[in-house]
Amino acid sequence: MGLTEYINKELIMELSEIKIIADSSADLLNLKDLPYSLASLKIITSEKEYIDNKNLDVEEMVGDLQKYSGKSSTACPAPGDWMNAFGEAKYIFCVTITSALSGSYNSAIIAKSDYEGMYPDRKVVVFDSLSTGPEMQLIIEKIVELAKQNLSFEEITDEINKYNNKTALLFMLKSMRNLANNGRVNPIVAKAAGLLGIRIVGKASDKGTLELTDKCKGEKKAVAALINKLKEIGYKGGKIKIGHCFNEELAITIKKTIETQFENSKPEIYPLRGLCSFYAEKGGILMGFET
Ligand code: X90
């Protein structure tokens, strides 16, 4: 075998050697086409601990939380949880919730360095989504698309880092109680979200924090504000995903509004899983899209 052939052989990954791992804030239980695992976050109350995996009954959790007024918190996956999810895979692509609000990214980085230390011929890359939920799903789908095109590990890494700059996240929330109680948003700002009929619209900032953009009286105005922001941020009809916490009706309204304004847009609707449901709370909407 000549040198060029040798190098090429090194660069080209078999699809079966690739594994994608996301933390559970991506709301993704399985993936078509490529091996996939998730690293679970936890939701903790004084009564119960919920593990955000496929066995979690999200409806039950959200119901419990509505009745519960004590302290509640969340915990990110430990490095060992990431390591377990890696399994025996040779090429691993990890996607995490924003490192500005969670330790998940740090845990994954520690797992990466341990794993690569143990297996020098294996490779792990960790992408900080600077976001969560539906925007993470877009990144994951892009990894699958690139892997199927037989790009190398490094090429996929470069392309995903670029793609990450071309995706964004908007949200609409009825309550920010859990975000405020857990120090993820300024409590003074969050107060408005507790008022009856008030909807908060905001986005994931470039730094991966929550940035509130509009405080709206009523859902109609909030939908209008959300669509305005969508255009302002630069959506032009590309991929878009709407995750909702037991609010399919509002998700459909938003989907229809987008479809009438962007001819080629095909918004996808899905239910949020545990971590995102805890913070977005009942009625909340997260929207990830390409700009
Ligand atoms: O490590 C942990 O315990 C997890 C902490 C996560 C905190 C934030 C979760 C946000 C979930 C709420 C609205 C969208 C926020 C945009 C993020 C930049 C969803």
Side-chain angles (χ1 to χ4, degrees), residues 41 74-76 97-98 101-103 169 171 184 204 208-210 279 286:
L41 287 107
T74 57
C76 67
I97 187 170
T98 171
L101 301 176
S102 170
L169 181 96
F171 55 83
R184 261 73 184 197
T209 54
L210 272 93
Y279 285 107
L286 305 185

Side-chain angles (χ1 to χ4, degrees), residues 172-174 197-201 214-219 222:
M172 189 199 295
L173 306 173
K174 276 185 182 175
I198 296 292
R199 299 286 180 281
I200 299 291
V201 174
D214 302 87
K215 202 164 65 178
C216 305
K217 236 185 196 152
E219 208 158 87

Side-chain angles (χ1 to χ4, degrees), residues 78-149:
D81 298 322
W82 281 100
M83 193 76 119
N84 285 338
F86 293 173
E88 290 294 324
K90 187 152 185 209
Y91 301 104
I92 299 171
F93 297 90
C94 303
V95 185
T96 76
I97 187 170
T98 171
S99 65
L101 301 176
S102 170
S104 185
Y105 175 79
N106 272 331
S107 289
I109 288 289
I110 293 168
K112 164 191 158 71
S113 102
D114 289 354
Y115 194 77
E116 287 177 340
M118 279 159 66
Y119 309 105
D121 62 329
R122 300 183 187 178
K123 282 183 172 187
V124 182
V125 62
V126 185
F127 300 110
D128 179 354
S129 71
L130 295 172
S131 181
T132 191
E135 191 177 347
M136 286 170 74
Q137 291 191 10
L138 292 176
I139 295 169
I140 293 163
E141 286 176 7
K142 193 55 142 189
I143 299 171
V144 174
E145 190 186 309
L146 297 169
K148 284 181 166 175
Q149 291 168 15

